[in-house]
Amino acid sequence: MDINIKETLTSLKIDFIELENDVYGLSIASTDESSRSFPVVLFQWTAGDEQEYIRLIIAPFIERPNEGFAFDLFERVLAINEQLPRAKFLLDSDGDLGLALDIDIEEWRSENLARALDVLGSFADYCYEELESFGK
C-alpha cells in the first residue's frame, strides 16, 4: 500500500522539504521552550518480514566522534531500546547514532503522525544530553 506522506504533512500544516522522491525532511522539538530541534526524515519502507511502515528517523541524533563512540554508549542505548516498544536507537549509514520510530501503515492517520512527532521530539530532547555526554 502506498501512503501519501506529502499529503498528510500538508494537511497538518507541517513545514517540510522533499529530499528525494517520497522522502521528506522536517524539524521537530518538544513543546518545552528550552528544547533543541532535531532533523527528521520520513519515508515508507518494508521490513524483512514484509510488513510496511512509515519510518521517522532523527539522523544524525548524535554524530559519531572521530574516535568512535564509547562502549558505554552502546550499553546505555541497548538498555533504553529494551524499554521502548516502537522507537529505537540505531546507527545510520554514516555510523552516527539515529533515533527511529516506525508507524505501521495500517495505523497511518494524520493524528497518529502528529502524536508520533510530539513523542519523538520529547523523547529525543529527554535523552540527548545523557547520550551526547558519552561522546565527550
Side-chain angles (χ1 to χ4, degrees):
M1 174 190 321
D2 283 331
I3 300 295
N4 191 329
I5 298 171
K6 183 176 185 175
E7 184 179 285
T8 305
L9 291 170
T10 301
S11 75
L12 291 170
K13 297 180 175 38
I14 295 174
D15 292 330
F16 66 91
I17 58 171
E18 189 163 358
L19 301 170
E20 53 187 71
N21 197 21
D22 297 325
V23 178
Y24 303 91
L26 55 99
S27 181
I28 62 168
S30 71
T31 55
D32 182 356
E33 289 180 17
S34 65
S35 69
R36 63 190 47 78
S37 64
F38 298 96
V40 177
V41 175
L42 290 88
F43 56 91
Q44 186 170 343
W45 74 287
T46 304
D49 63 0
E50 301 302 316
Q51 181 64 43
E52 292 184 82
Y53 298 93
I54 303 299
R55 173 158 280 182
L56 290 67
I57 183 167
I58 297 174
F61 180 67
I62 298 175
E63 289 186 23
R64 182 184 158 299
N66 290 336
E67 63 282 353
F69 288 114
F71 183 75
D72 293 346
L73 173 92
F74 295 109
E75 287 182 330
R76 182 65 184 128
V77 163
L78 288 172
I80 293 170
N81 278 353
E82 284 189 16
Q83 299 169 8
L84 300 175
R86 291 200 179 190
K88 299 291 179 207
F89 286 102
L90 47 81
L91 295 177
D92 69 13
S93 60
D94 295 327
D96 298 326
L97 185 65
L99 176 59
L101 184 136
D102 292 328
I103 301 174
D104 187 313
I105 61 164
E106 301 299 324
E107 299 173 3
W108 181 254
R109 289 180 284 290
S110 59
E111 60 271 9
N112 288 349
L113 174 60
R115 192 173 316 119
L117 289 168
D118 285 343
V119 167
L120 194 62
S122 295
F123 185 73
D125 197 50
Y126 176 79
C127 290
Y128 182 79
E129 285 188 33
E130 176 190 3
L131 296 179
E132 194 264 343
S133 71
F134 286 102
K136 293 181 179 180

